[in-house]
Amino acid sequence: MKKLSRLYMALVFIFLYAPIVVMILISFNAGESTAHMTGFSLRWYQQMARDENTLNALKNTIVLSALSAVITTVLGTLASVGISRMRSRRLQRVVRNVTNLPMMNPDIVTGISLMLLFVFTAQMLGRDSALGFGSLLIAHITFSLPYVIMSVLPKINQLDRNVPEAAMDLGCTPLQSFFKVELPFISPGIITGMIMAFTLSFDDFVISNFTSGASYETLTIHIYSMIKKSVKPNIYALSTLIFIVVMALILAYNLLNDRGREKR
Amino acid sequence: MRRRGNIAAYPHIVWSVLFIIAPLLFVLYYTFTDGAGDPTLENIQRIGTSNYLLIFTNSLCMALIATVICLVIAYPLAYIFSRMEEKTQRIMMVLIMLPLWMNFLITTYSWMTLLEDTGIINTLLGLIGIDGVHMINTPGAVIVGMVFCFLPYMIMPIYSVMAGIDPKIVEAAKDLGCSDRDVLLRVIMPMSLSGVISGITMVFVPSISTFYISQKLGGGTFQLIGDTIESYFTGNAINFHFGAALSMVLMFMILISMGIMNRFGDEREERGLLK
């Protein structure tokens, strides 16, 4: 039985990692083909490091994801505090359900619905195009919000309501009690939410595809337009680098978590 | 204090109205108007033509097949994971989630390399004497691509429910005379149902609305609803009004499917409690 389950696990992992292994191998290809290895070289990595469009798209993506993550975290944390204190359960449920819509709806519907809003607004204002950095930022904040609320709200509900009240009895103003007592307690949830918002935004393609204009190209949009023309191993080189960075981040995050757990 | 707390949610409420509710109203508006802004039902009627009905049925079938395959693969795996040591469990979950951080545009392209007629899988098969299995540009290849992209979303919720089952319950069942098989069928399966249901939703929704995967691995031999919608918004034949109508129908299809799913889940849970 044990052997059988080992074999089963191995098969699933082969399935999940086969395309990634292929990607990494071919990023070192000496030839131009993405189907056959003809030798080992670093030429695609060198070429990528010189390609301004790719570097620019990478910079754009980092700026967009970071900004979207920060704004979403502030907005989402405030919203969680507000939602947790709503007196009407019904209102609470309505707000949460509406917030979750972008999470429940297919990405393509969220994408086109925002696109229609932007296009219509641009027509009303008599502008050529409303699609660009602003529309992307709005879209990214909108689809990340439910994830931030999802990780912050449970933390707030876990907090014993007597604790901030005790702080106020001891002379804190409500604002002081929020920053000194509540915020430190819910900060793990806030950090998880922020990391989630950043990665979701970094990785998003579908919604960006509909809400980005020609003026601001993110990495995934850049990859999509490259794939439309012709695929060379340089895209694989780029993805391999991203994969390594992501892997390092996830491992670091888990190690930190493990440490924290052992300490406790 | 309470009053102040409510104010904190206001920016979020304004944001939701502007960027979640208003956009959906625009989908409605575009669905029922034509290019000149006059009201019309033509867009909805056009979906009733056989061409588009076929696209919808195709998408629905593909999504159902992909979801079932994901469930069949994920369930035993989640069970195996949930019985491992705690530290190993965490490593396994990281390994399951890692491929999700790879952009699906790239992994889909890698699958093309793997599935091609002269690709890696066929080369390997050739070595053991099986040759010429045609895989790329078939519905099967599209299913492989979908299962690859969405399998982790099925494993995660099932695993987290299974890992949360109190071992004492399993022990109690055994003490009361359940065999291992009975424990699985009568304790673990009913208790993990909520994970299965959220897994199914998390796989079905993106599968039915997918685009790109079908273009690349299906080779344009058949169109799915996601591809069709995309073509009306970013392709050569731009028609926001008809595209909006297609998205509306897609949204309703998903709502109905989820309604059926949830009702099935509730009934099972109620019966479970009555027992």
Side-chain angles (χ1 to χ4, degrees):
Chain A
M1 197 59 199
K2 195 141 205 189
K3 264 188 191 157
L4 203 67
S5 57
R6 284 253 165 85
L7 178 72
Y8 186 69
M9 269 166 48
L11 284 176
V12 176
F13 278 121
I14 290 174
F15 174 70
L16 284 176
Y17 281 87
I20 295 171
V21 171
V22 167
M23 171 195 90
I24 294 174
L25 278 180
I26 287 182
S27 74
F28 294 107
N29 198 358
E32 293 223 333
S33 157
T34 53
H36 301 283
M37 281 295 276
T38 43
F40 178 88
S41 85
L42 288 173
R43 63 183 275 210
W44 301 111
Y45 286 89
Q46 288 159 349
Q47 196 206 58
M48 190 189 60
R50 285 193 306 264
D51 183 12
E52 272 188 24
N53 285 335
T54 307
L55 294 179
N56 194 35
L58 179 66
K59 194 197 82 199
N60 281 349
T61 308
I62 292 174
V63 170
L64 176 72
S65 317
L67 203 57
S68 150
V70 170
I71 299 176
T72 313
T73 309
V74 173
L75 207 60
T77 306
L78 279 175
S80 309
V81 172
I83 292 172
S84 73
R85 289 184 188 161
M86 280 176 184
R87 240 178 274 171
S88 148
R89 293 270 141 199
R90 190 134 149 240
L91 186 66
Q92 217 177 42
R93 209 166 37 225
V94 171
V95 173
R96 293 211 62 190
N97 281 341
V98 171
T99 311
N100 287 343
L101 272 176
M103 206 161 65
M104 307 299 288
N105 254 341
D107 282 354
I108 195 169
V109 174
T110 308
I112 63 122
S113 71
L114 282 161
M115 181 187 183
L116 290 176
L117 171 81
F118 295 136
V119 168
F120 191 86
T121 318
Q123 272 173 3
M124 287 277 110
L125 297 174
R127 299 228 324 245
D128 281 348
S129 165
L131 300 177
F133 179 72
S135 61
L136 266 176
L137 185 62
I138 290 177
H140 280 229
I141 293 172
T142 307
F143 74 70
S144 315
L145 260 175
Y147 295 92
V148 171
I149 295 180
M150 198 172 72
S151 54
V152 178
L153 194 55
K155 273 273 159 201
I156 295 182
N157 290 336
Q158 267 172 27
L159 177 72
D160 187 347
R161 295 248 39 98
N162 292 324
V163 178
E165 264 165 41
M168 279 185 273
D169 283 349
L170 293 170
C172 273
T173 64
L175 221 56
Q176 272 177 330
S177 126
F178 176 74
F179 280 107
K180 289 192 168 167
V181 178
E182 285 179 79
L183 204 59
F185 183 81
I186 60 176
S187 62
I190 297 178
I191 291 170
T192 314
M194 182 138 78
I195 293 175
M196 227 169 1
F198 182 85
T199 40
L200 280 169
S201 156
F202 194 92
D203 201 46
D204 176 69
F205 164 69
V206 177
I207 296 176
S208 306
N209 186 32
F210 295 104
T211 50
S212 73
S215 61
Y216 201 84
E217 202 179 43
T218 66
L219 204 55
T220 49
I221 302 288
H222 180 63
I223 290 175
Y224 188 54
S225 64
M226 276 166 97
I227 285 177
K228 266 186 187 161
K229 281 177 240 156
S230 76
V231 174
K232 286 190 192 150
N234 55 355
I235 301 179
Y236 285 11
L238 178 64
S239 311
T240 304
L241 278 185
I242 296 174
F243 183 70
I244 291 168
V245 171
V246 169
M247 200 162 72
L249 281 177
I250 290 181
L251 286 180
Y253 180 74
N254 275 279
L255 278 179
L256 280 177
N257 257 357
D258 277 1
R259 282 251 177 87
R261 217 164 276 165
E262 270 157 28
K263 261 187 204 161
R264 253 174 265 152
Chain B
M1 185 63 206
R2 288 208 157 204
R3 225 151 253 241
R4 200 171 290 223
N6 271 343
I7 292 174
Y10 288 174
H12 170 70
I13 292 174
V14 172
W15 188 280
S16 306
V17 171
L18 281 180
F19 300 118
I20 297 176
I21 296 177
L24 290 175
L25 293 178
F26 273 105
V27 176
L28 262 178
Y29 169 77
Y30 275 84
T31 301
F32 293 109
T33 51
D34 59 17
D38 296 323
T40 176
L41 283 175
E42 209 179 291
N43 298 314
I44 291 283
Q45 279 161 355
R46 201 172 138 197
I47 294 178
T49 54
S50 61
N51 197 356
Y52 291 101
L53 284 181
L54 184 71
I55 292 177
F56 270 102
T57 352
N58 270 346
S59 304
L60 187 66
C61 290
M62 298 287 275
L64 284 176
I65 295 171
T67 310
V68 169
I69 294 178
C70 280
L71 180 61
V72 170
I73 297 178
Y75 200 87
L77 197 72
Y79 180 70
I80 295 172
F81 284 168
S82 71
R83 321 209 86 198
M84 291 177 145
E85 257 177 72
E86 207 181 311
K87 196 154 189 183
T88 332
Q89 286 187 20
R90 249 179 293 141
I91 297 171
M92 288 300 159
M93 284 328 278
V94 171
L95 286 178
I96 290 292
M97 279 164 65
L98 210 50
L100 282 184
W101 298 117
M102 228 30 259
N103 195 278
F104 79 102
L105 298 170
I106 301 289
T107 45
T108 305
Y109 213 89
S110 294
W111 273 111
M112 282 174 74
T113 306
L114 280 161
L115 297 175
E116 262 166 350
D117 285 346
T118 55
I120 293 170
I121 292 179
N122 267 321
T123 315
L124 288 178
L125 286 178
L127 290 179
I128 54 169
I130 309 165
D131 47 25
V133 184
H134 178 64
M135 288 174 289
I136 194 79
N137 300 346
T138 59
V142 180
I143 298 272
V144 168
M146 286 184 184
V147 171
F148 172 83
C149 279
F150 307 129
L151 180 62
Y153 294 112
M154 183 68 89
I155 299 173
M156 283 188 290
I158 300 181
Y159 159 79
S160 60
V161 173
M162 278 186 180
I165 294 177
D166 191 342
K168 281 182 197 139
I169 296 178
V170 176
E171 268 170 45
K174 279 189 182 161
D175 284 349
L176 293 169
C178 271
S179 64
D180 280 349
R181 204 175 130 259
D182 282 343
V183 169
L184 186 63
L185 287 178
R186 299 172 71 165
V187 179
I188 294 180
M189 278 196 179
M191 285 184 85
S192 58
L193 198 74
S194 64
V196 171
I197 286 174
S198 47
I200 290 178
T201 345
M202 282 171 83
V203 173
F204 180 74
V205 175
S207 313
I208 196 168
S209 58
T210 181
F211 72 105
Y212 180 77
I213 296 179
S214 37
Q215 286 166 26
K216 284 291 161 195
L217 297 175
T221 43
F222 56 92
Q223 251 196 328
L224 296 186
I225 184 66
D227 303 310
T228 318
I229 294 178
E230 199 225 356
S231 72
Y232 286 111
F233 283 95
T234 61
N236 297 323
I238 286 184
N239 183 347
F240 288 175
H241 301 271
F242 187 55
L246 286 169
S247 320
M248 268 262 299
V249 175
L250 173 67
M251 236 162 43
F252 273 106
M253 246 166 87
I254 289 171
L255 273 180
I256 293 168
S257 326
M258 297 221 288
I260 296 172
M261 277 289 305
N262 285 335
R263 169 167 267 179
F264 175 72
D266 288 348
E267 255 171 39
R268 286 293 295 267
E269 247 159 54
E270 270 162 32
R271 256 197 287 155
L273 282 178
L274 283 178
K275 250 192 232 166

Coordinates of all heavy atoms in Angstrom, one line a residue, chain B residues 89-123:
Chain B
Q89 N 3.8 17.1 5.2 CA 2.6 17.6 4.6 C 2.8 19.0 4.1 O 2.4 19.3 3.0 CB 1.5 17.6 5.7 CG 0.9 16.3 6.0 CD -0.3 16.4 6.9 OE1 -0.9 17.5 7.0 NE2 -0.7 15.4 7.6
R90 N 3.5 19.8 4.9 CA 3.7 21.2 4.5 C 4.5 21.3 3.3 O 4.3 22.1 2.4 CB 4.2 22.0 5.7 CG 3.2 23.0 6.2 CD 3.7 23.8 7.3 NE 4.0 23.0 8.5 CZ 5.0 23.1 9.3 NH1 5.9 24.1 9.1 NH2 5.1 22.4 10.4
I91 N 5.6 20.5 3.3 CA 6.5 20.5 2.1 C 5.7 20.1 0.8 O 5.8 20.7 -0.2 CB 7.7 19.5 2.3 CG1 8.5 20.0 3.5 CG2 8.5 19.4 1.0 CD1 9.6 19.1 3.9
M92 N 4.9 19.0 1.0 CA 4.1 18.6 -0.1 C 3.2 19.6 -0.7 O 3.0 19.8 -1.9 CB 3.2 17.4 0.3 CG 4.0 16.1 0.5 SD 4.8 15.6 -1.0 CE 6.1 14.6 -0.4
M93 N 2.5 20.4 0.2 CA 1.6 21.4 -0.3 C 2.4 22.5 -1.0 O 1.9 23.1 -2.0 CB 0.8 22.0 0.9 CG -0.3 21.1 1.4 SD -1.1 20.1 0.1 CE -2.2 21.3 -0.6
V94 N 3.6 22.9 -0.5 CA 4.4 23.9 -1.2 C 4.7 23.4 -2.6 O 4.6 24.1 -3.6 CB 5.7 24.2 -0.5 CG1 6.6 25.1 -1.3 CG2 5.4 24.9 0.9
L95 N 5.1 22.1 -2.7 CA 5.4 21.5 -4.0 C 4.2 21.5 -5.0 O 4.3 21.6 -6.2 CB 5.9 20.0 -3.8 CG 7.3 19.9 -3.3 CD1 7.7 18.4 -3.1 CD2 8.3 20.6 -4.2
I96 N 3.0 21.3 -4.4 CA 1.8 21.3 -5.2 C 1.5 22.7 -5.7 O 1.0 22.9 -6.8 CB 0.6 20.8 -4.4 CG1 0.7 19.3 -4.1 CG2 -0.8 21.0 -5.1 CD1 0.6 18.4 -5.4
M97 N 1.8 23.7 -4.9 CA 1.4 25.1 -5.2 C 2.4 25.7 -6.1 O 2.1 26.7 -6.8 CB 1.1 25.9 -4.0 CG -0.2 25.7 -3.4 SD -0.4 26.2 -1.7 CE -0.2 28.0 -2.0
L98 N 3.7 25.3 -6.1 CA 4.7 25.9 -6.8 C 4.4 26.1 -8.3 O 4.6 27.2 -8.9 CB 6.0 25.1 -6.6 CG 7.3 25.9 -6.7 CD1 7.3 27.2 -5.8 CD2 8.5 25.1 -6.2
P99 N 3.9 25.0 -9.0 CA 3.6 25.2 -10.4 C 2.6 26.3 -10.7 O 2.6 26.8 -11.8 CB 3.1 23.8 -10.8 CG 3.6 22.9 -9.8 CD 3.7 23.6 -8.5
L100 N 1.8 26.6 -9.7 CA 0.8 27.6 -9.9 C 1.4 29.0 -10.2 O 0.9 29.9 -10.8 CB -0.1 27.8 -8.7 CG -1.2 26.8 -8.5 CD1 -2.0 27.1 -7.3 CD2 -2.1 26.7 -9.8
W101 N 2.6 29.2 -9.6 CA 3.3 30.5 -9.8 C 4.0 30.6 -11.1 O 4.6 31.6 -11.4 CB 4.3 30.7 -8.6 CG 3.6 30.7 -7.3 CD1 3.8 29.9 -6.3 CD2 2.6 31.6 -6.9 NE1 2.9 30.2 -5.3 CE2 2.2 31.3 -5.7 CE3 2.0 32.7 -7.6 CZ2 1.2 32.0 -5.0 CZ3 1.0 33.4 -6.9 CH2 0.6 33.0 -5.6
M102 N 4.0 29.5 -11.9 CA 4.5 29.6 -13.2 C 3.4 30.1 -14.1 O 2.3 29.6 -14.1 CB 4.8 28.1 -13.7 CG 6.2 27.9 -14.3 SD 7.4 29.0 -13.7 CE 7.4 30.1 -15.0
N103 N 3.7 31.1 -14.9 CA 2.7 31.7 -15.8 C 2.1 30.6 -16.7 O 2.9 29.9 -17.4 CB 3.3 32.8 -16.6 CG 2.2 33.7 -17.1 OD1 1.7 33.3 -18.2 ND2 1.8 34.7 -16.5
F104 N 0.8 30.6 -16.8 CA 0.2 29.5 -17.6 C 0.4 29.7 -19.1 O 0.3 28.7 -19.9 CB -1.3 29.3 -17.3 CG -2.2 30.3 -18.0 CD1 -3.0 30.0 -19.1 CD2 -2.3 31.6 -17.5 CE1 -3.8 30.9 -19.7 CE2 -3.2 32.5 -18.1 CZ -3.9 32.1 -19.2
L105 N 0.7 30.9 -19.6 CA 1.1 31.1 -21.0 C 2.3 30.2 -21.3 O 2.4 29.6 -22.4 CB 1.4 32.5 -21.3 CG 0.3 33.6 -21.0 CD1 0.8 35.0 -21.1 CD2 -0.8 33.4 -22.0
I106 N 3.3 30.2 -20.4 CA 4.5 29.5 -20.7 C 4.3 28.0 -20.5 O 4.8 27.2 -21.4 CB 5.6 30.0 -19.6 CG1 5.8 31.5 -19.8 CG2 6.9 29.2 -19.8 CD1 6.5 31.9 -21.0
T107 N 3.7 27.6 -19.4 CA 3.5 26.2 -19.2 C 2.7 25.5 -20.3 O 3.0 24.4 -20.8 CB 2.9 25.8 -17.9 OG1 1.8 26.7 -17.7 CG2 3.9 26.0 -16.7
T108 N 1.7 26.3 -20.8 CA 0.9 25.7 -21.9 C 1.8 25.5 -23.2 O 1.7 24.5 -23.9 CB -0.3 26.7 -22.3 OG1 -1.0 26.9 -21.1 CG2 -1.1 26.1 -23.4
Y109 N 2.7 26.5 -23.4 CA 3.6 26.4 -24.5 C 4.5 25.2 -24.3 O 4.8 24.4 -25.2 CB 4.4 27.7 -24.7 CG 4.7 27.9 -26.1 CD1 3.8 28.6 -26.9 CD2 5.9 27.4 -26.7 CE1 4.1 28.8 -28.2 CE2 6.1 27.5 -28.0 CZ 5.2 28.3 -28.8 OH 5.5 28.4 -30.1
S110 N 5.0 24.9 -23.0 CA 5.8 23.8 -22.8 C 5.1 22.5 -23.1 O 5.6 21.5 -23.6 CB 6.2 23.7 -21.3 OG 7.1 24.8 -21.0
W111 N 3.8 22.5 -22.8 CA 3.0 21.3 -23.1 C 3.0 21.0 -24.6 O 2.9 19.9 -25.0 CB 1.6 21.4 -22.6 CG 1.4 20.9 -21.2 CD1 1.2 21.7 -20.1 CD2 1.6 19.6 -20.7 NE1 1.2 20.9 -18.9 CE2 1.5 19.7 -19.3 CE3 1.9 18.4 -21.3 CZ2 1.6 18.5 -18.5 CZ3 2.0 17.2 -20.5 CH2 1.8 17.3 -19.1
M112 N 3.0 22.1 -25.4 CA 3.1 21.9 -26.8 C 4.3 21.1 -27.2 O 4.3 20.2 -28.0 CB 3.1 23.2 -27.6 CG 1.7 23.9 -27.7 SD 1.8 25.5 -28.4 CE 2.1 25.2 -30.1
T113 N 5.4 21.6 -26.6 CA 6.7 20.9 -26.8 C 6.6 19.4 -26.4 O 7.1 18.5 -27.1 CB 7.8 21.6 -26.0 OG1 7.8 22.9 -26.4 CG2 9.2 20.9 -26.3
L114 N 5.9 19.1 -25.3 CA 5.8 17.8 -24.8 C 4.9 16.9 -25.7 O 5.2 15.7 -26.0 CB 5.3 17.8 -23.4 CG 6.2 18.1 -22.3 CD1 5.5 18.5 -21.0 CD2 7.1 16.8 -22.0
L115 N 3.8 17.5 -26.2 CA 2.8 16.7 -26.9 C 2.9 16.6 -28.4 O 2.2 15.8 -29.0 CB 1.4 17.2 -26.5 CG 1.0 17.2 -25.0 CD1 -0.4 17.9 -24.9 CD2 0.9 15.8 -24.5
E116 N 3.8 17.4 -28.9 CA 4.0 17.4 -30.4 C 4.2 16.0 -31.0 O 4.7 15.1 -30.3 CB 5.1 18.3 -30.8 CG 4.7 19.7 -31.2 CD 5.8 20.7 -31.3 OE1 6.9 20.3 -30.8 OE2 5.6 21.8 -31.8
D117 N 3.9 15.9 -32.3 CA 4.1 14.6 -33.0 C 5.6 14.1 -32.9 O 5.8 13.0 -32.8 CB 3.6 14.7 -34.4 CG 2.1 14.7 -34.5 OD1 1.5 14.4 -33.5 OD2 1.6 15.1 -35.6
T118 N 6.5 15.1 -33.0 CA 7.9 14.7 -32.8 C 8.4 15.2 -31.5 O 9.6 15.4 -31.3 CB 8.7 15.4 -33.9 OG1 8.5 16.8 -33.9 CG2 8.4 14.9 -35.3
G119 N 7.5 15.4 -30.5 CA 7.8 16.0 -29.2 C 8.4 15.0 -28.3 O 8.7 13.8 -28.6
I120 N 8.6 15.4 -27.0 CA 9.3 14.6 -26.1 C 8.6 13.3 -25.7 O 9.2 12.2 -25.7 CB 9.6 15.5 -24.8 CG1 10.6 16.6 -25.2 CG2 10.2 14.6 -23.7 CD1 10.7 17.6 -24.1
I121 N 7.3 13.4 -25.5 CA 6.6 12.2 -25.1 C 6.6 11.1 -26.2 O 6.9 10.0 -26.0 CB 5.1 12.5 -24.7 CG1 5.1 13.3 -23.4 CG2 4.3 11.2 -24.5 CD1 3.7 13.8 -23.0
N122 N 6.4 11.6 -27.5 CA 6.5 10.7 -28.6 C 7.9 10.1 -28.8 O 8.0 8.9 -29.1 CB 6.0 11.3 -29.9 CG 4.5 11.1 -30.1 OD1 4.0 10.0 -29.8 ND2 3.8 12.1 -30.5
T123 N 8.9 10.9 -28.5 CA 10.3 10.3 -28.6 C 10.5 9.2 -27.5 O 11.0 8.2 -27.8 CB 11.3 11.5 -28.3 OG1 10.9 12.6 -29.1 CG2 12.7 11.0 -28.7

